[in-house]
Amino acid sequence: MTCEDDHAGAEPASAPSPLPSGVAQLLSALFYGTCSFLIVLVNKALLTTYSFPSPIVLGIGQMAATIMILYVSKLNKIIHFPDFDKKIIVKLFPLPLFYVGNHISGLSSTSKLSLPMFTVLRKFTIPLTLLLETIILGKQYSLNIIVSVFAIILGAFIAAGSDLAFNLEGYIFVFLNDIFTAANGVYTKQKMDPKELGKYGVLFYNASFMIIPTLIFSISTGDLQQATEFNQWKNVLFIIQFLLSCFLGFLLMYSTVLCSYYNSALTTAVVGAIKNVSIAYIGMLVGGDYIFSVLNFVGLNICMAGGLRYSFLTLSSQLKPKQPVDEENIPSDLKS
């Protein structure tokens, strides 16, 4: 999708001239990587250091921040998205289900795994995204890309197989998070037609449709009560970090949509892989919950090397002229 599409349909007609395509792709990718990096660190502090008992309530706070920021921006004519009508539910489905599943499973897995293992197992989002883009969007990828994906998977299996802090519940949540993330990214790209809902409409209605069911679930399970009885609500530093997480939750949702809008769901997953390199190694030094073993460390490095190779191949291909994938005369260097 090109930058020029951003100003059609649901986007304001009086918007300023769009950025050049390459600049928009790069800036949106950097924005997503930065937001994703920061929110993992903040959430890790809230859920592990402070032992905040409710990832679901944290997710509700992030949804509420998204709704309020977008609605106030719409009232002040800073952004535009369609007013509600019954057809919007049909247009969005099943995206809201993937959205809330991605949100809650991500927060839950962050609280139960060390940062390095969390980032390794999140690598499985990449092959899942590749598979879903192939099936749903009809995209094709070169052999070099596929080999890089298998290197990522191999490294993840080696690292996870020697994880001395194995947590079955954490592994289940992170694999669910991988599935929801891949599905959410691919379907967001499919649903984000500027003539229909546009970027902001997808964000606003996703959060609006799912915040009430999530709140009801939190109340019925006693999760909300645990959160309200938490003993750190008088701690100013905790409150600041909780509010920061809510705001970063909005920025992460927005930057994810923006990156997928200007690039693709696969590129968004690739940027996440690059970001994970920083998080994994920082987690070894400052996380406090990483248990060293040789196999685990080797697996981490194989996984990261595959991720960087994959990232290089995918991002560099965007700088080359687009050609039909079924032409017989495509040079072999373009296929890599």
Side-chain angles (χ1 to χ4, degrees):
M1 187 173 291
T2 61
C3 293
E4 288 79 4
D5 293 336
D6 183 32
H7 304 286
E11 306 296 331
S14 59
S17 299
L19 290 169
S21 179
V23 175
Q25 290 175 337
L26 178 61
L27 290 180
S28 62
L30 289 174
F31 182 38
Y32 165 70
T34 302
C35 293
S36 182
F37 173 81
L38 291 175
I39 196 170
V40 169
L41 296 182
V42 174
N43 286 344
K44 186 67 176 175
L46 286 171
L47 297 169
T48 302
T49 305
Y50 287 101
S51 299
F52 184 65
S54 176
I56 297 177
V57 169
L58 186 57
I60 291 171
Q62 293 174 356
M63 291 181 212
T66 299
I67 294 168
M68 287 188 291
I69 292 171
L70 292 178
Y71 187 69
V72 170
S73 299
K74 177 180 169 67
L75 289 180
N76 288 279
K77 302 186 185 303
I78 298 172
I79 62 172
H80 174 74
F81 53 87
D83 294 328
F84 176 76
D85 66 64
K86 294 179 181 179
K87 293 181 181 178
I88 287 178
I89 300 176
V90 177
K91 291 175 183 177
L92 267 186
F93 190 82
L95 191 55
L97 300 179
F98 296 140
Y99 164 83
V100 75
N102 178 43
H103 212 69
I104 302 304
S105 61
L107 288 168
S108 298
S109 57
T110 301
S111 66
K112 297 181 184 300
L113 295 172
S114 68
L115 276 177
M117 285 314 304
F118 172 76
T119 55
V120 164
L121 295 175
R122 289 287 286 133
K123 295 286 188 184
F124 285 93
T125 298
I126 296 175
L128 288 172
T129 302
L130 187 151
L131 179 63
L132 288 177
E133 282 203 325
T134 301
I135 296 172
I136 297 171
L137 303 181
K139 293 191 175 185
Q140 296 182 12
Y141 295 97
S142 69
L143 178 61
N144 281 339
I145 290 285
I146 296 172
V147 169
S148 298
V149 167
F150 275 102
I152 295 169
I153 296 172
L154 175 63
F157 269 119
I158 293 173
S162 58
D163 183 12
L164 300 181
F166 179 81
N167 184 314
L168 179 60
E169 188 178 359
Y171 274 52
I172 292 172
F173 273 120
V174 80
F175 281 124
L176 286 174
N177 190 214
D178 291 339
I179 295 170
F180 285 128
T181 299
N184 186 66
V186 172
Y187 275 95
T188 295
K189 183 70 175 178
Q190 185 188 56
K191 303 286 184 181
M192 205 164 32
D193 185 349
K195 296 179 182 178
E196 298 288 344
L197 296 177
K199 302 186 297 293
Y200 304 113
V202 167
L203 269 177
F204 180 81
Y205 289 114
N206 252 344
S208 298
F209 290 155
M210 296 313 300
I211 190 170
I212 299 300
T214 307
L215 181 60
I216 293 172
F217 176 78
S218 179
I219 294 172
S220 64
T221 59
D223 189 80
L224 182 63
Q225 183 178 355
Q226 287 185 349
T228 56
E229 294 174 353
F230 185 57
N231 60 8
Q232 293 291 326
W233 285 114
K234 294 182 181 180
N235 185 331
V236 176
L237 188 58
F238 168 79
I239 293 174
I240 291 173
Q241 290 189 59
F242 185 89
L243 294 176
L244 179 61
S245 176
C246 292
F247 179 66
L248 285 173
F250 159 71
L251 287 184
L252 178 61
M253 294 177 218
Y254 176 62
S255 64
T256 302
V257 167
L258 203 65
C259 189
S260 295
Y261 183 83
Y262 284 118
N263 298 281
S264 69
L266 192 58
T267 299
T268 303
V270 165
V271 174
I274 297 174
K275 172 264 302 181
N276 286 345
V277 175
S278 302
I279 290 181
Y281 290 108
I282 289 175
M284 291 180 189
L285 299 175
V286 301
D289 55 1
Y290 176 70
I291 302 175
F292 178 84
S293 75
V294 174
L295 279 178
N296 186 269
F297 186 73
V298 169
L300 277 172
N301 284 283
I302 292 174
C303 192
M304 295 308 174
L308 288 174
R309 171 65 175 167
Y310 176 81
S311 304
F312 171 78
L313 291 169
T314 307
L315 295 177
S316 63
S317 69
Q318 292 185 348
L319 302 177
K320 299 176 182 178
K322 293 183 180 180
Q323 298 186 27
V325 296
D326 58 348
E327 287 189 22
E328 295 180 356
N329 61 345
I330 296 179
S332 59
D333 60 328
L334 286 181
K335 296 179 182 179
S336 63

